[in-house]
Every structure is written in C-alpha cells, then in structure tokens.
Coordinates of all heavy atoms in Angstrom, one line a residue:
M1 N 0.9 -1.2 0.0 CA 0.0 0.0 0.0 C 0.9 1.2 0.0 O 1.8 1.3 0.8 CB -0.9 0.0 1.2 CG -1.9 1.1 1.3 SD -3.0 1.2 2.7 CE -3.9 -0.3 2.6
T2 N 0.6 2.2 -0.8 CA 1.4 3.4 -0.9 C 1.0 4.4 0.2 O 0.0 4.2 0.9 CB 1.1 4.1 -2.3 OG1 -0.3 4.6 -2.2 CG2 1.3 3.2 -3.5
A3 N 1.9 5.4 0.4 CA 1.6 6.4 1.4 C 0.3 7.1 1.2 O -0.4 7.4 2.1 CB 2.8 7.3 1.5
A4 N 0.0 7.4 -0.1 CA -1.2 8.1 -0.4 C -2.4 7.3 -0.1 O -3.4 7.8 0.4 CB -1.2 8.5 -1.9
Q5 N -2.3 6.0 -0.3 CA -3.5 5.1 0.0 C -3.7 5.0 1.5 O -4.8 5.0 2.0 CB -3.2 3.7 -0.6 CG -3.3 3.6 -2.1 CD -2.9 2.3 -2.7 OE1 -1.9 1.7 -2.2 NE2 -3.5 1.9 -3.8
R6 N -2.5 4.9 2.3 CA -2.7 4.9 3.7 C -3.3 6.2 4.2 O -4.1 6.2 5.1 CB -1.3 4.7 4.4 CG -0.8 3.2 4.3 CD 0.4 3.0 5.2 NE 1.5 3.8 4.8 CZ 2.4 3.5 3.9 NH1 2.3 2.4 3.2 NH2 3.4 4.3 3.6
A7 N -2.9 7.3 3.7 CA -3.4 8.6 4.1 C -4.9 8.7 3.8 O -5.7 9.2 4.6 CB -2.7 9.8 3.4
A8 N -5.3 8.2 2.6 CA -6.7 8.2 2.2 C -7.6 7.4 3.2 O -8.7 7.7 3.5 CB -6.9 7.8 0.8
R9 N -7.0 6.3 3.6 CA -7.8 5.4 4.5 C -7.9 6.0 5.9 O -8.8 5.8 6.6 CB -7.1 4.1 4.7 CG -7.3 3.2 3.5 CD -6.7 1.8 3.8 NE -7.6 0.8 3.2 CZ -7.4 -0.5 3.3 NH1 -6.4 -0.9 4.1 NH2 -8.2 -1.3 2.8
A10 N -6.9 6.8 6.3 CA -6.9 7.5 7.6 C -7.8 8.7 7.7 O -8.1 9.2 8.7 CB -5.4 7.9 8.0
M11 N -8.2 9.2 6.5 CA -9.0 10.4 6.5 C -10.4 10.1 6.9 O -11.0 9.1 6.6 CB -9.1 10.9 5.0 CG -8.8 12.4 4.9 SD -9.0 12.9 3.2 CE -7.5 12.2 2.4
R12 N -10.9 11.0 7.7 CA -12.3 10.9 8.1 C -13.1 12.0 7.5 O -12.9 13.2 7.8 CB -12.4 11.0 9.7 CG -13.8 10.9 10.2 CD -13.7 10.8 11.7 NE -15.1 10.9 12.2 CZ -15.5 11.6 13.3 NH1 -14.6 12.2 14.0 NH2 -16.7 11.6 13.6
L13 N -14.1 11.7 6.7 CA -15.0 12.7 6.1 C -16.2 13.0 7.0 O -16.8 12.1 7.5 CB -15.4 12.2 4.7 CG -14.3 11.9 3.7 CD1 -14.9 11.3 2.4 CD2 -13.5 13.1 3.4
L14 N -16.4 14.3 7.1 CA -17.6 14.7 7.9 C -18.6 15.4 7.0 O -18.3 16.1 6.1 CB -17.1 15.7 8.9 CG -16.1 15.3 9.9 CD1 -15.6 16.4 10.8 CD2 -16.6 14.1 10.8
P15 N -19.9 15.1 7.3 CA -20.9 15.8 6.5 C -20.9 17.3 6.7 O -20.7 17.7 7.9 CB -22.2 15.1 7.0 CG -21.9 14.6 8.3 CD -20.4 14.3 8.3
P16 N -21.2 18.1 5.7 CA -21.2 19.5 5.9 C -22.5 20.1 6.5 O -22.8 21.3 6.4 CB -21.0 20.0 4.5 CG -21.7 19.0 3.6 CD -21.4 17.7 4.4
T17 N -23.2 19.3 7.2 CA -24.5 19.7 7.7 C -24.4 20.2 9.2 O -25.5 20.6 9.7 CB -25.5 18.5 7.7 OG1 -25.0 17.4 8.4 CG2 -25.8 18.1 6.3
G18 N -23.3 20.3 9.7 CA -23.2 20.8 11.1 C -22.7 19.8 12.1 O -22.5 18.6 11.7
W19 N -22.5 20.2 13.3 CA -22.0 19.3 14.3 C -23.1 18.6 15.0 O -23.7 19.1 16.0 CB -21.2 20.1 15.3 CG -20.0 20.7 14.7 CD1 -19.9 22.0 14.2 CD2 -18.7 20.2 14.5 NE1 -18.7 22.2 13.7 CE2 -17.9 21.1 13.9 CE3 -18.2 18.9 14.9 CZ2 -16.6 20.9 13.6 CZ3 -16.9 18.7 14.5 CH2 -16.1 19.7 13.9
G20 N -23.5 17.4 14.5 CA -24.5 16.6 15.2 C -25.9 17.1 15.0 O -26.8 16.6 15.7
L21 N -26.2 18.0 14.1 CA -27.5 18.4 13.8 C -28.3 17.3 13.1 O -27.8 16.7 12.1 CB -27.6 19.7 13.0 CG -26.9 20.9 13.6 CD1 -27.0 22.1 12.6 CD2 -27.7 21.3 14.8
T22 N -29.5 17.0 13.6 CA -30.3 16.1 12.9 C -31.8 16.6 12.8 O -32.1 17.4 13.7 CB -30.3 14.7 13.6 OG1 -30.8 14.9 14.9 CG2 -29.0 14.1 13.7
G23 N -32.5 16.2 11.9 CA -33.9 16.6 11.8 C -34.1 17.9 11.2 O -33.1 18.6 10.9
A24 N -35.3 18.3 11.0 CA -35.7 19.5 10.3 C -35.6 20.7 11.3 O -35.9 20.5 12.5 CB -37.1 19.4 9.7
F25 N -35.3 21.8 10.9 CA -35.4 23.0 11.7 C -35.6 24.2 10.7 O -35.5 24.1 9.5 CB -34.1 23.3 12.5 CG -32.9 23.5 11.6 CD1 -32.4 24.7 11.3 CD2 -32.1 22.4 11.2 CE1 -31.3 24.9 10.5 CE2 -31.0 22.6 10.5 CZ -30.6 23.8 10.1
S26 N -36.1 25.3 11.3 CA -36.4 26.5 10.5 C -35.7 27.7 11.1 O -35.3 27.7 12.3 CB -37.9 26.7 10.4 OG -38.4 26.9 11.7
A27 N -35.5 28.7 10.3 CA -34.9 29.9 10.8 C -35.8 30.6 11.8 O -37.0 30.5 11.8 CB -34.7 30.9 9.6
A28 N -35.1 31.4 12.7 CA -35.9 32.2 13.7 C -36.6 33.3 13.0 O -36.2 33.8 11.9 CB -34.9 32.8 14.7
P29 N -37.7 33.7 13.6 CA -38.5 34.8 13.0 C -37.6 36.1 12.9 O -36.8 36.3 13.8 CB -39.7 35.0 13.9 CG -39.5 34.1 15.0 CD -38.3 33.2 14.8
R30 N -37.8 36.9 11.9 CA -37.0 38.1 11.7 C -37.8 39.3 12.3 O -39.0 39.4 12.2 CB -36.8 38.4 10.2 CG -36.1 37.3 9.4 CD -34.7 37.0 10.1 NE -33.9 36.1 9.3 CZ -33.6 34.9 9.6 NH1 -34.0 34.3 10.7 NH2 -32.8 34.1 8.8
P31 N -37.1 40.1 13.1 CA -37.7 41.3 13.7 C -38.1 42.3 12.6 O -37.4 42.4 11.6 CB -36.7 41.8 14.6 CG -35.4 41.4 14.1 CD -35.6 40.1 13.4
T32 N -39.2 43.0 12.9 CA -39.6 44.0 11.9 C -38.9 45.3 12.3 O -38.8 46.3 11.4 CB -41.1 44.2 12.0 OG1 -41.5 44.5 13.3 CG2 -41.8 43.0 11.5
S33 N -38.3 45.4 13.5 CA -37.6 46.6 13.9 C -36.6 46.2 14.9 O -36.7 45.2 15.6 CB -38.6 47.6 14.5 OG -37.9 48.7 15.1
F34 N -35.5 47.0 15.0 CA -34.5 46.8 16.0 C -34.6 47.8 17.2 O -33.8 47.9 18.1 CB -33.1 47.0 15.4 CG -32.8 45.9 14.4 CD1 -32.8 46.2 13.1 CD2 -32.5 44.6 14.8 CE1 -32.5 45.2 12.1 CE2 -32.2 43.6 13.9 CZ -32.2 43.9 12.6
E35 N -35.7 48.6 17.2 CA -35.9 49.6 18.3 C -35.9 49.0 19.6 O -36.6 48.0 19.9 CB -37.3 50.3 18.1 CG -37.5 51.0 16.8 CD -36.7 52.2 16.6 OE1 -36.4 52.9 17.5 OE2 -36.3 52.4 15.4
G36 N -35.0 49.5 20.5 CA -34.9 49.1 21.9 C -34.2 47.8 22.1 O -34.1 47.3 23.2
M37 N -33.7 47.1 21.0 CA -33.1 45.8 21.1 C -31.6 46.0 21.4 O -30.9 46.9 20.9 CB -33.3 45.0 19.9 CG -34.7 44.5 19.7 SD -34.7 43.4 18.3 CE -36.4 42.9 18.3
T38 N -31.0 45.0 22.1 CA -29.6 44.8 22.2 C -29.1 43.8 21.1 O -29.7 42.7 21.1 CB -29.2 44.4 23.6 OG1 -29.6 45.3 24.5 CG2 -27.7 44.2 23.7
L39 N -28.1 44.2 20.3 CA -27.7 43.4 19.3 C -26.5 42.6 19.7 O -25.6 43.1 20.4 CB -27.2 44.2 18.1 CG -28.2 45.2 17.4 CD1 -27.6 45.9 16.3 CD2 -29.4 44.4 17.0
G40 N -26.4 41.3 19.4 CA -25.2 40.5 19.6 C -24.5 40.4 18.3 O -25.1 40.1 17.2
L41 N -23.2 40.6 18.3 CA -22.3 40.5 17.2 C -21.4 39.4 17.4 O -20.6 39.4 18.3 CB -21.5 41.8 16.9 CG -22.3 43.1 16.8 CD1 -21.4 44.3 16.6 CD2 -23.4 43.0 15.7
L42 N -21.5 38.4 16.5 CA -20.6 37.2 16.6 C -19.7 37.1 15.4 O -20.1 36.8 14.3 CB -21.5 35.9 16.7 CG -20.7 34.6 16.7 CD1 -19.8 34.5 18.0 CD2 -21.6 33.4 16.7
A43 N -18.4 37.5 15.7 CA -17.4 37.4 14.6 C -16.8 36.0 14.6 O -16.7 35.3 15.6 CB -16.2 38.4 14.9
N44 N -16.5 35.5 13.4 CA -16.0 34.1 13.3 C -14.5 34.0 13.4 O -13.9 33.0 13.2 CB -16.5 33.5 12.0 CG -15.7 34.0 10.8 OD1 -15.1 35.0 10.8 ND2 -15.7 33.2 9.7
S45 N -13.8 35.1 13.8 CA -12.4 35.2 14.0 C -11.5 35.3 12.7 O -10.3 35.3 12.8 CB -11.9 34.0 14.8 OG -12.4 34.1 16.1
K46 N -12.2 35.3 11.5 CA -11.4 35.6 10.3 C -11.1 37.1 10.2 O -11.9 37.9 10.8 CB -12.2 35.1 9.1 CG -12.1 33.6 8.9 CD -12.7 33.2 7.6 CE -12.4 31.7 7.3 NZ -12.5 31.4 5.9
A47 N -10.1 37.4 9.4 CA -9.8 38.8 9.2 C -11.0 39.6 8.7 O -11.7 39.1 7.9 CB -8.7 38.9 8.2
N48 N -11.3 40.7 9.3 CA -12.3 41.6 8.9 C -13.7 41.2 9.4 O -14.7 42.0 9.2 CB -12.4 41.9 7.4 CG -11.1 42.4 6.9 OD1 -10.5 43.4 7.5 ND2 -10.5 41.9 5.8
S49 N -13.9 40.1 10.0 CA -15.3 39.7 10.4 C -15.8 40.7 11.4 O -17.0 41.1 11.4 CB -15.4 38.3 10.9 OG -14.6 38.1 12.0
A50 N -15.0 41.1 12.4 CA -15.4 42.0 13.4 C -15.7 43.4 12.8 O -16.7 44.1 13.2 CB -14.4 42.1 14.5
A51 N -14.9 43.8 11.9 CA -15.0 45.1 11.2 C -16.3 45.2 10.4 O -17.0 46.2 10.4 CB -13.8 45.4 10.3
I52 N -16.6 44.1 9.7 CA -17.9 44.0 9.0 C -19.1 44.2 9.9 O -20.0 44.9 9.7 CB -18.0 42.7 8.2 CG1 -17.0 42.6 7.1 CG2 -19.4 42.4 7.6 CD1 -16.8 41.3 6.5
L53 N -19.1 43.4 11.0 CA -20.2 43.5 12.0 C -20.3 44.9 12.6 O -21.4 45.4 12.8 CB -20.0 42.4 13.1 CG -20.2 41.0 12.6 CD1 -19.7 40.0 13.7 CD2 -21.7 40.8 12.3
D54 N -19.1 45.5 12.9 CA -19.2 46.9 13.5 C -19.8 47.8 12.5 O -20.6 48.7 12.9 CB -17.8 47.3 13.9 CG -17.3 46.7 15.1 OD1 -18.1 46.2 15.9 OD2 -16.0 46.7 15.3
S55 N -19.5 47.7 11.2 CA -20.1 48.6 10.2 C -21.6 48.4 10.1 O -22.4 49.3 10.0 CB -19.5 48.3 8.8 OG -18.1 48.7 8.9
V56 N -22.0 47.1 10.1 CA -23.5 46.8 10.1 C -24.2 47.4 11.3 O -25.2 48.0 11.2 CB -23.7 45.3 9.9 CG1 -25.2 45.0 10.0 CG2 -23.2 44.8 8.6
A57 N -23.6 47.2 12.5 CA -24.2 47.6 13.7 C -24.3 49.2 13.7 O -25.3 49.7 14.2 CB -23.4 47.2 14.9
A58 N -23.2 49.8 13.2 CA -23.3 51.3 13.1 C -24.4 51.8 12.2 O -25.1 52.7 12.5 CB -21.9 51.8 12.7
A59 N -24.6 51.1 11.1 CA -25.7 51.5 10.2 C -27.0 51.2 10.8 O -27.9 52.1 10.7 CB -25.6 50.6 8.9
L60 N -27.2 50.1 11.5 CA -28.5 49.9 12.2 C -28.7 50.9 13.3 O -29.8 51.3 13.5 CB -28.5 48.4 12.8 CG -28.6 47.3 11.8 CD1 -28.4 46.0 12.5 CD2 -29.9 47.4 11.1
A61 N -27.6 51.3 14.0 CA -27.8 52.3 15.1 C -28.2 53.6 14.5 O -28.9 54.4 15.2 CB -26.5 52.4 15.9
R62 N -27.8 54.0 13.3 CA -28.2 55.2 12.7 C -29.7 55.2 12.3 O -30.4 56.2 12.3 CB -27.4 55.5 11.5 CG -26.0 56.0 11.8 CD -25.3 56.5 10.5 NE -25.0 55.5 9.5 CZ -24.0 54.7 9.4 NH1 -23.1 54.8 10.4 NH2 -23.9 53.8 8.5
R63 N -30.2 54.0 12.0 CA -31.6 53.9 11.6 C -32.6 53.6 12.7 O -33.8 53.8 12.6 CB -31.7 52.8 10.5 CG -31.0 53.2 9.2 CD -31.2 52.1 8.2 NE -30.3 52.3 7.1 CZ -30.1 51.4 6.2 NH1 -30.7 50.3 6.2 NH2 -29.2 51.7 5.2
H64 N -32.1 52.9 13.7 CA -33.0 52.5 14.8 C -32.4 52.9 16.1 O -31.2 53.1 16.2 CB -33.0 50.9 14.8 CG -33.5 50.4 13.5 ND1 -34.8 50.2 13.2 CD2 -32.8 49.9 12.4 CE1 -34.9 49.7 12.0 NE2 -33.7 49.5 11.5
R65 N -33.2 53.0 17.1 CA -32.7 53.3 18.5 C -32.4 52.0 19.2 O -33.2 51.5 20.0 CB -33.7 54.1 19.2 CG -33.8 55.6 18.7 CD -34.7 56.4 19.6 NE -35.7 55.6 20.3 CZ -37.0 55.9 20.5 NH1 -37.5 56.9 19.9 NH2 -37.8 55.1 21.2
I66 N -31.2 51.4 18.9 CA -30.9 50.2 19.5 C -30.4 50.5 21.0 O -29.9 51.5 21.3 CB -29.8 49.4 18.8 CG1 -28.5 50.2 18.7 CG2 -30.3 49.0 17.4 CD1 -27.4 49.4 18.1
A67 N -30.6 49.5 21.8 CA -30.3 49.7 23.3 C -28.8 49.5 23.5 O -28.2 50.1 24.4 CB -31.1 48.7 24.1
G68 N -28.1 48.7 22.7 CA -26.7 48.4 22.9 C -26.2 47.3 22.0 O -27.0 46.7 21.2
V69 N -24.9 47.0 22.1 CA -24.3 46.0 21.3 C -23.4 45.1 22.3 O -22.7 45.7 23.1 CB -23.4 46.6 20.2 CG1 -22.6 45.5 19.5 CG2 -24.2 47.4 19.3
V70 N -23.5 43.8 22.1 CA -22.6 42.9 22.8 C -21.8 42.1 21.8 O -22.4 41.5 20.9 CB -23.5 41.9 23.7 CG1 -22.6 40.8 24.3 CG2 -24.3 42.6 24.7
R71 N -20.5 42.2 21.9 CA -19.6 41.6 20.9 C -19.0 40.3 21.5 O -18.6 40.2 22.6 CB -18.5 42.6 20.5 CG -19.0 43.7 19.7 CD -17.9 44.8 19.6 NE -18.3 45.9 18.7 CZ -19.1 46.9 19.1 NH1 -19.5 46.9 20.4 NH2 -19.4 47.8 18.3
A72 N -18.8 39.3 20.6 CA -18.1 38.1 20.9 C -17.4 37.5 19.6 O -17.9 37.9 18.5 CB -19.0 37.1 21.5
S73 N -16.5 36.7 19.8 CA -15.8 36.0 18.7 C -15.7 34.6 19.0 O -15.5 34.1 20.1 CB -14.4 36.6 18.5 OG -14.4 37.9 18.0
K74 N -15.8 33.8 17.9 CA -15.5 32.3 18.0 C -14.0 32.1 18.3 O -13.2 32.9 17.8 CB -16.0 31.6 16.8 CG -17.5 31.6 16.6 CD -17.9 31.0 15.3 CE -17.2 29.8 14.8 NZ -17.8 29.2 13.6
A75 N -13.7 31.0 18.9 CA -12.3 30.7 19.2 C -11.5 30.4 17.9 O -10.4 30.8 17.7 CB -12.2 29.5 20.1
H76 N -12.2 29.8 16.9 CA -11.6 29.5 15.6 C -12.7 29.4 14.6 O -13.8 29.0 14.9 CB -10.9 28.1 15.7 CG -10.1 27.8 14.5 ND1 -10.6 27.2 13.4 CD2 -8.8 28.0 14.2 CE1 -9.7 27.1 12.5 NE2 -8.6 27.6 13.0
P77 N -12.5 29.9 13.4 CA -13.6 29.9 12.4 C -14.3 28.6 12.1 O -15.4 28.5 11.8 CB -12.9 30.4 11.1 CG -11.7 31.1 11.5 CD -11.3 30.5 12.8
S78 N -13.5 27.5 12.3 CA -14.1 26.2 11.9 C -14.8 25.5 13.1 O -15.4 24.4 13.0 CB -13.0 25.2 11.4 OG -12.1 24.9 12.4
L79 N -14.7 26.1 14.3 CA -15.4 25.5 15.5 C -16.7 26.2 15.7 O -17.0 27.3 15.4 CB -14.5 25.7 16.7 CG -13.1 25.0 16.7 CD1 -12.3 25.4 17.9 CD2 -13.3 23.5 16.6
P80 N -17.6 25.4 16.4 CA -18.9 26.0 16.7 C -18.7 27.1 17.8 O -17.7 27.1 18.5 CB -19.7 24.9 17.3 CG -18.8 23.8 17.5 CD -17.6 24.0 16.7
V81 N -19.7 27.9 18.0 CA -19.6 29.0 19.0 C -19.6 28.3 20.4 O -20.3 27.2 20.6 CB -20.7 30.0 18.9 CG1 -22.1 29.3 19.1 CG2 -20.6 31.2 19.8
S82 N -19.0 28.9 21.4 CA -18.9 28.2 22.7 C -20.2 28.3 23.5 O -21.0 29.2 23.2 CB -17.8 28.9 23.6 OG -18.2 30.2 24.0
E83 N -20.4 27.4 24.4 CA -21.6 27.5 25.2 C -21.7 28.7 26.0 O -22.8 29.3 26.3 CB -21.7 26.2 26.1 CG -21.9 24.9 25.4 CD -23.2 24.8 24.7 OE1 -24.2 25.3 25.2 OE2 -23.3 24.2 23.6
D84 N -20.6 29.2 26.5 CA -20.5 30.5 27.3 C -21.0 31.7 26.5 O -21.8 32.5 27.0 CB -19.1 30.8 27.8 CG -18.6 29.8 28.8 OD1 -19.5 29.1 29.4 OD2 -17.4 29.7 29.0
V85 N -20.6 31.8 25.2 CA -21.1 32.9 24.4 C -22.6 32.7 24.1 O -23.3 33.7 24.1 CB -20.3 32.9 23.0 CG1 -20.9 33.9 22.1 CG2 -18.8 33.3 23.3
L86 N -23.0 31.5 23.8 CA -24.4 31.3 23.6 C -25.3 31.7 24.8 O -26.3 32.3 24.7 CB -24.7 29.8 23.2 CG -24.3 29.3 21.9 CD1 -24.5 27.8 21.7 CD2 -25.0 30.1 20.8
A87 N -24.8 31.3 26.0 CA -25.5 31.7 27.2 C -25.5 33.2 27.4 O -26.6 33.7 27.8 CB -24.9 31.0 28.4
M88 N -24.4 33.8 27.1 CA -24.4 35.3 27.3 C -25.3 36.0 26.3 O -26.1 36.9 26.7 CB -22.9 35.8 27.0 CG -22.8 37.3 27.0 SD -21.2 37.9 26.6 CE -21.1 37.4 24.9
F89 N -25.3 35.5 25.1 CA -26.3 36.1 24.1 C -27.7 35.8 24.5 O -28.6 36.7 24.4 CB -26.0 35.5 22.7 CG -24.9 36.1 22.0 CD1 -24.3 35.5 20.9 CD2 -24.4 37.4 22.3 CE1 -23.3 36.0 20.2 CE2 -23.3 38.0 21.6 CZ -22.8 37.3 20.5
A90 N -28.0 34.6 25.0 CA -29.4 34.3 25.4 C -29.9 35.2 26.5 O -31.0 35.5 26.6 CB -29.5 32.8 25.8
Q91 N -28.9 35.5 27.4 CA -29.3 36.4 28.5 C -29.4 37.9 28.2 O -30.2 38.6 28.8 CB -28.3 36.2 29.7 CG -28.6 36.9 30.9 CD -27.7 36.6 32.1 OE1 -26.7 35.8 31.9 NE2 -27.9 37.2 33.2
H92 N -28.6 38.3 27.3 CA -28.4 39.8 27.1 C -28.9 40.4 25.8 O -29.0 41.6 25.7 CB -27.0 40.2 27.3 CG -26.5 39.9 28.7 ND1 -26.9 40.6 29.8 CD2 -25.6 38.9 29.1 CE1 -26.3 40.0 30.9 NE2 -25.5 39.0 30.5
V93 N -29.1 39.6 24.8 CA -29.4 40.2 23.5 C -30.7 39.6 22.9 O -31.2 38.5 23.3 CB -28.3 40.0 22.5 CG1 -27.0 40.5 23.0 CG2 -28.1 38.6 22.0
Q94 N -31.3 40.3 22.0 CA -32.5 39.9 21.3 C -32.3 39.4 19.9 O -33.0 38.7 19.3 CB -33.6 41.0 21.3 CG -34.2 41.4 22.7 CD -33.2 42.2 23.5 OE1 -32.6 43.2 23.1 NE2 -33.0 41.7 24.7
V95 N -31.2 39.9 19.3 CA -30.9 39.6 17.9 C -29.4 39.3 17.8 O -28.6 40.1 18.4 CB -31.3 40.7 16.9 CG1 -30.8 40.4 15.5 CG2 -32.8 40.9 16.9
V96 N -28.9 38.3 17.1 CA -27.5 38.0 16.9 C -27.2 38.1 15.4 O -27.9 37.5 14.6 CB -27.1 36.6 17.5 CG1 -25.6 36.4 17.1 CG2 -27.3 36.6 18.9
L97 N -26.2 38.9 15.1 CA -25.7 39.0 13.7 C -24.3 38.3 13.7 O -23.5 38.5 14.6 CB -25.6 40.5 13.3 CG -26.8 41.4 13.5 CD1 -26.4 42.8 13.2 CD2 -27.9 40.9 12.6
T98 N -24.1 37.6 12.6 CA -22.7 37.0 12.4 C -22.2 37.3 11.1 O -23.0 37.7 10.2 CB -22.8 35.5 12.7 OG1 -21.5 35.0 12.8 CG2 -23.6 34.8 11.7
A99 N -20.9 37.2 10.9 CA -20.3 37.6 9.7 C -19.0 36.7 9.5 O -18.4 36.3 10.4 CB -19.9 39.0 9.6
I100 N -18.7 36.5 8.2 CA -17.5 35.8 7.8 C -16.6 36.8 7.2 O -17.0 37.5 6.2 CB -17.8 34.6 6.8 CG1 -18.7 33.6 7.5 CG2 -16.5 34.0 6.3 CD1 -19.3 32.6 6.6
G101 N -15.4 36.9 7.7 CA -14.5 37.9 7.1 C -13.6 37.3 6.0 O -13.8 36.3 5.5
D102 N -12.5 38.0 5.7 CA -11.5 37.7 4.7 C -11.3 38.8 3.8 O -12.0 39.6 3.5 CB -11.6 36.4 4.0 CG -11.0 35.2 4.8 OD1 -10.3 35.5 5.8 OD2 -11.3 34.1 4.4

C-alpha cells in the first residue's frame, strides 16, 4: 500500500450539515424593527469579520434606536460557538448578527 493510499484510509470525512444536527429546523423569525433591542455581534475570527459586523451595527444604530451591542468572537472559524457565548447572548441580546471575514 502506498503512502497516499494509507493517508486516504486514515482520512475521516464529515458531512457539511453541522456538528451533530439532525432533523428539520427552520430559521428564527425576523424582527420588523430593532428599536430598543440589544444586538449580539458574533465574529468568526477571520480577518475583517469584526469590522464588517461593526459597520453593520453602526448602520443599524443610525436607523434604529438600539439599546446596545454585545460583541463576541468564536475561538476559531471552523469551530462552533462556545456554550458560554451562547448563554451570554441568550441572557443579554434579542438579535444576533454574524459575519464571515477575509
């Protein structure tokens, strides 16, 4: 067996559907206004993801009277968001925006 064949056998392919997600799900309802809401900004840790989110939040703040912004970043772009960040968002924000940079 060649080195390439051994490497191919050692590879583990993962489905691109997420980390253990099963069954049907639907998107959360979209707000009609951001008035009085606290926005959560979740950057994926790639270059410019936080800057993109800051620009979007600034534009929303000019159009709506948002109550505030809570920022967080993922530890690594390929990993799911941490339970701590999810708990913080669940407790403090009404809407979470996320962005992919580069």
Side-chain angles (χ1 to χ4, degrees):
M1 182 180 299
T2 68
Q5 289 170 325
R6 283 192 301 276
R9 282 187 146 183
M11 230 184 284
R12 181 174 170 216
L13 299 177
L14 300 174
T17 56
W19 297 92
L21 297 176
T22 59
F25 62 92
S26 60
R30 303 303 190 245
T32 57
S33 171
F34 294 105
E35 301 292 325
M37 290 187 174
T38 299
L39 303 178
L41 304 181
L42 178 61
N44 76 338
S45 297
K46 285 191 167 195
N48 300 315
S49 61
I52 291 167
L53 288 168
D54 286 339
S55 294
V56 171
L60 289 172
R62 285 191 297 273
R63 295 181 191 172
H64 305 273
R65 289 186 336 224
I66 62 172
V69 175
V70 175
R71 291 171 176 80
S73 292
K74 290 174 41 173
H76 189 274
S78 66
L79 296 175
V81 65
S82 73
E83 293 294 325
D84 291 341
V85 170
L86 287 176
M88 177 185 63
F89 281 161
Q91 183 175 2
H92 298 290
V93 307
Q94 291 75 51
V95 174
V96 176
L97 306 174
T98 190
I100 298 171
D102 273 350

